[in-house]
Amino acid sequence: MPVVETKDLVLLQAKQQKVRNICILAHVDHGKTTLADSLVASNGIISQRMAGKLRYLDSRQDEQERGITMKSSSISLYYQDNRNADYLINLIDSPGHVDFSSEVSTAVRLCDGAIVVVDVVEGVGPQTRACLKQIYEEQLKPVLLLNKLDRLILEKQLTPLDAYFHLTQVLEQVNAVLGSIFASDVLAKEDINDKDNYESALEQVDDSELYFSPAAGNVVFCSAYDGWAFSVGDFAATYAERLEMKRSELEQVLWGDFYYNSKKKSAMAGAQEKAKKPMFVQFVLENIWSLYDIIVVRKDKDKLPLIAEKLGLKLAARDLRVTDAKLQIKTVFSQWLPIDRSVLEMVVRHVPPPNHISEERAQRLLYPANVELKSLPAATLALKESFKNCNAQSENVIAFVSKMSPVHVTQLPQNRPKRLTDQELQQRRDEVRRRIEERKQQSEETTLDKLLEGVEQLSTKSAEGEEESTLAPIPELERNEYEFIAFARVFSGTLRRGMQLYNLTPKHDPRQPQHRELETAPHATRVTVGELYMFMGGELQLLDEVPAGNIVGIGGLETHIVKTATLSSSLDCTSFSELSIMATPILRVAIEPVQPQDMPKLVKGLKLLNQADACVQVSVAPTGEHVITTLGEVHVEKCVHDLEQSYAKIKVNVSKPIVSFRETIVPDATVDMVNEAIVKTADDKDVTKKIAVQQTLNKLGTLRVIALPLPQAAVELLEQHSNVFKELSATPRNTLLSEKFTALLASIKSQLIVTLAELQFHGLSNLTPEELVERIWALGPRNCGTNILLNLSDYEQPDFWSTHSKSSDTDVRNVNDPRRDFNSSLVNGFQLTTGAGPLCEEPMQGVCFAVLEWSVQSEGEDLNARGFGPFSGQVLTAAKEVCRQAFQNQPQRLVTPMYSCNIVVNAEMLGKMYAVIGRRHGKILSGDLTQGSGNFAVTCLLPVIESFNFAQEMRKQTSGLACPQLMFSHWEVIDIDPFWLPTTEEELMHFGEKADSANRAKVYMDSVRRRKGLFVDEQVVEHAEKQRTLSKNK
């Protein structure tokens, strides 16, 4: 197919029915970029022979070197179907590596459908599951592409029948993942309060269109590297006449347990039962297998012209002379089963055009999740119609920017050198001839005066040149080398160059009247749309306007947008819901310049990095360090490379990774370190010894507090709903909460009552769980953490669950209580303690501080007197200290973040891989043999602090045969007391007097304390001896 002119693509942009926006998603190394190459080659942008080798959409140098995609990139392709209808396909290729999963989120938001690529040998990978989950959440229409079929023939050497059974298993795996995502979503929405309904919600929902089925046409079988693909429909069209069956009927039976009865000229069910060949094997796979056998295995060139004639292919003489069998396969198959025809035909048929956005998806994108729709103004609700219909003529322009993409200034179309026309070339030739003639004339007039004049002219010119050269670099320094292009999609209206729009930040809320007026809108700014671009892989094409439903690059917004934004012509529009990120950034490193004078360059470079990378978080630590938070080691390497080569252009030092820990307490142990039962005395069982008592400095206030470990279910519940509590604490006092939010709070409350039933008070309180929940005073740290301040004293605290009684912090029911003035001081003391615990000043997790007594003796005395400063400050200090003491009175533990690690490895290297995991205190969860291959899929848990250089060590030890994928999983308590030393006889015998194996928890704790500059209890010299020189005996 010839290269399509940009103007033809621009014409297609206006026909929304002919536009498709799709992204390619898959696990790492399953063949996304190779597939994209084959589709790009179909447009004549690259050579068909280079598809798969060139990796056209991997435009970064480090992407080419590593062989993995690191950013999502878009390209617009033209496709003409067999009915001669023209289509515009906006294709986005996305990364598969878990460290760049945020780039997948930016791609998914802009698309209506997704091609899910699965390697048929490796099967469903962890990233495939994550992609399917994201597709389901964003309500995209997925289509499946089973890739690398050539590996089944050449590498696994399966027979066509075995390959068919293997393919059915892979398809079942994918459908099983989809089914489990669908079931968990339906069950999560089920109304569990309806006691009379004994039916599961799953029985009422329709999942008929959820699954992938070749008969439905949403599955394509493919080998992207060899450049061929087919759907069941392609072969049905070929065989319909020969088998005397209708094409529609043949499509339904060509895949599945059907065999062909040549006598009856019909398809019969039960092929496996009757030991017959399924039709898919007989008519499809056997043909492909025999072709591979002739061309690649037997290399029988004489049969090629005959095969080409039978298949109706035109092979050039040079194609027959090629010695490389793989190239011949590519030549034959790309004509017989062209990849672009099957894949793009499936996309056109199954992915909806932009003007067919479902009601649910429109609602999910436009309106925040916990906002009652009735509470939104009518103008905001009216926007949904033009949004759903993707109306290009609408006055309401709505666009969503999912990321800012850095482009070098030289790559911008307006800065590229333009091609000269024939007329301009002729003018230049004439000019050159004229100059040559002038020089000849000057050389003839060789007089001294002329020479002197020439010298004077030269000297004045050089002086001017020097002046210019001293002035020129100043603007050069100020100009940035990179310009940020907003990677966006227009959802409504038509976007034009120079248009004035509003940039709506996430806090913009059209329910507030002042937010809808330009003068008073605090979270909206006016922006002017700069140049508009069409993405063509690494290149950009200028556009004048872009109608709704298309993906576009917008220039001139870099000063207004950091990462994502909603652009709208109306302030009635809501800010789009945030991108759902698959992985949490957890790996933090501090960065500093090698030369201290380069600090301003580093700060500027970090600002650019923060804008360019969708998932990196740049911050300044309290210690003054510049910290970047990333998803993993590969992500850190990419960020540092970008800083050094592109954004800051200076050498930087990168610290060892900073890992966050948390601190918690646990119930008293029943066995010691060698699993011997601990015999407790009456003294040990006395709970009152665990109570911490603290007085204020002027001895007028007393606090008694006990710290108790929260049940795990309660911790998980509080962590899950931290955003709800954050919103509750930020809600202005005496504000009426929406019905939806109130209902959400009520459901959290009822779940919390169930979980707090397990909280052990050891006889200190006999309140019911319902009363305990009502007595919650605060959560910490930052009002939304997993620690609870519980009021068991006679003081009546403000209602935590409602904003009504919060007319002020001091508004409590007993107005005459002197303690009401110091309510916030006590809560702030609790917040400070939970924000930085005593072990290594890390936040606490899962601790319940129960205030048993809070008394203030205020009879006739001024509480602020006695020279100890304001009483509120004393209460804050006392609350902070008493919480620390109560925490230290209980068995303390560190909580470490854990990575979930997935490794595919062959049987020979299994032992070496287990050794690497064992050395790093990992835990193996499963190690299953993948069906149809000799590989094991191993899943394990690994502490984040032990994961540095894990991938390098793993590759080194297993000769590059195992490559781990790390993803944050959960927080886990390290079940060792950081202060433990062997004491009992058995422990001394097992561990030795000095505990030969280092206490893991203490090592982690000391490393954090050392980094923060806190006191570390360690002896540098343990057994000092006076140095003496031993003289030789002569």
Side-chain angles (χ1 to χ4, degrees), residues 27-190:
H27 190 68
V28 67
D29 283 341
H30 277 205
K32 295 178 295 303
T33 309
T34 310
L35 170 69
D37 262 13
S38 301
L39 298 178
V40 169
S42 72
N43 268 223
I45 296 168
I46 62 172
S47 150
Q48 197 77 46
R49 290 181 173 223
M50 293 304 292
K53 295 174 188 161
L54 191 63
R55 300 171 66 84
Y56 182 71
L57 292 181
D58 286 356
S59 50
R60 288 172 59 103
Q61 191 184 342
D62 49 356
E63 286 182 315
Q64 292 286 353
E65 285 167 3
R66 283 178 182 269
I68 58 169
T69 307
M70 292 183 176
K71 60 167 189 351
S72 48
S73 35
S74 173
I75 190 162
S76 297
L77 300 175
Y78 166 80
Y79 171 65
Q80 190 176 46
D81 69 2
N82 47 18
R83 292 180 292 279
N84 292 334
D86 296 340
Y87 290 92
L88 172 69
I89 312 282
N90 292 318
L91 179 81
I92 304 178
D93 181 30
S94 62
H97 197 286
V98 69
D99 280 12
F100 307 106
S101 54
S102 59
E103 291 282 336
V104 178
S105 309
T106 62
V108 164
R109 173 55 61 89
L110 304 184
C111 294
D112 301 305
I115 302 176
V116 181
V117 182
V118 176
D119 181 341
V120 290
V121 175
E122 291 184 15
V124 176
Q127 239 2 58
T128 317
R129 293 171 201 275
C131 290
L132 286 168
K133 191 168 195 303
Q134 195 147 23
I135 288 168
Y136 183 81
E137 282 174 5
E138 289 278 348
Q139 292 163 343
L140 266 62
K141 178 72 181 164
V143 289
L144 181 66
L145 188 133
L146 296 173
N147 194 16
K148 304 194 184 183
L149 254 75
D150 57 306
R151 286 183 71 188
L152 296 180
I153 307 170
L154 303 173
E155 194 181 307
K156 297 293 165 198
Q157 296 185 344
L158 299 180
T159 64
L161 189 63
D162 290 340
Y164 165 72
F165 289 127
H166 181 77
L167 288 171
T168 55
Q169 284 169 351
V170 173
L171 191 61
E172 273 174 29
Q173 277 178 9
V174 179
N175 282 334
V177 172
L178 262 182
S180 66
I181 292 167
F182 174 73
S184 58
D185 178 55
V186 170
L187 293 172
K189 291 176 184 169
E190 191 176 10

Side-chain angles (χ1 to χ4, degrees), residues 6 45 137 301 366 522 592 612 737 789 934:
T6 311
I45 296 168
E137 282 174 5
K301 285 191 176 181
L366 264 183
E592 61 179 22
L737 296 172
L789 182 65

Side-chain angles (χ1 to χ4, degrees), residues 881-937:
E881 286 305 318
V882 77
C883 288
R884 277 177 90 95
Q885 278 176 26
F887 182 87
Q888 287 174 304
N889 286 347
Q890 296 281 13
Q892 304 163 74
R893 294 287 185 273
L894 272 181
V895 188
T896 175
M898 300 293 280
Y899 273 138
S900 154
C901 173
N902 298 90
I903 310 167
V904 175
V905 63
N906 63 7
E908 293 91 69
M909 293 296 167
L910 210 54
K912 288 180 180 177
M913 185 207 64
Y914 283 147
V916 175
I917 294 168
R919 274 199 295 277
R920 291 170 177 265
H921 306 287
K923 281 191 286 191
I924 307 291
L925 298 180
S926 66
D928 303 321
L929 184 67
T930 311
Q931 276 187 322
S933 73
N935 291 342
F936 281 83

Side-chain angles (χ1 to χ4, degrees), residues 460-477:
T460 52
K461 275 184 182 175
S462 64
E464 281 172 18
E466 278 172 25
E467 280 178 22
E468 281 173 18
S469 64
T470 52
L471 292 170
I474 296 168
E476 266 317 295
L477 287 170

